[in-house]
Amino acid sequence: RDLHRLIRRQRQMCIRDRVKEPYPSREYIEIMHELDIPIIFGSDSHDPAEVGYRFNELRKIVMEIGYTQLAHFHERKRTFIEL
């Protein structure tokens, strides 16, 4: 489990139809949780209608893994939002 490689590759979480699973994979999300790495959701949207696409499903997955909060940034300061 190369932490540096994991951090470089996993910038945001989303679920896309073509993959049918979260990105990063559930395995990576579990490793991130074990290492106490905060998470933030992203849509990878190319159209305004796609913003927040399938976030409810992603929320369920990360809560099953054990996450209770999402990271949130405002003016370069990190806070947390309860799931």
Side-chain angles (χ1 to χ4, degrees):
R1 297 182 182 183
D2 182 353
L3 176 60
H4 295 290
R5 190 179 81 194
L6 174 71
I7 292 170
R8 280 195 310 269
R9 290 188 61 214
Q10 313 310 325
R11 290 182 292 252
Q12 65 181 14
M13 296 183 160
C14 63
I15 299 177
R16 302 306 307 161
D17 278 334
R18 65 185 175 274
V19 180
K20 303 282 190 228
E21 66 177 29
Y23 175 82
S25 70
R26 185 180 183 107
E27 177 185 14
Y28 275 112
I29 300 169
E30 289 170 351
I31 293 167
M32 292 165 67
H33 185 259
E34 288 172 15
L35 297 172
D36 200 28
I37 297 173
I39 59 171
I40 189 167
F41 289 175
S43 294
D44 190 28
S45 302
H46 298 268
D47 183 291
E50 294 179 345
V51 174
Y53 179 72
R54 297 177 71 182
F55 271 16
N56 287 334
E57 293 173 55
L58 187 55
R59 179 180 180 267
K60 180 181 176 193
I61 291 167
V62 300
M63 289 181 74
E64 287 172 357
I65 290 170
Y67 277 100
T68 59
Q69 300 176 323
L70 292 178
H72 171 75
F73 291 88
H74 180 72
E75 296 180 357
R76 297 182 169 246
K77 292 189 173 94
R78 183 177 68 189
T79 59
F80 291 93
I81 300 169
E82 296 296 318
L83 285 167

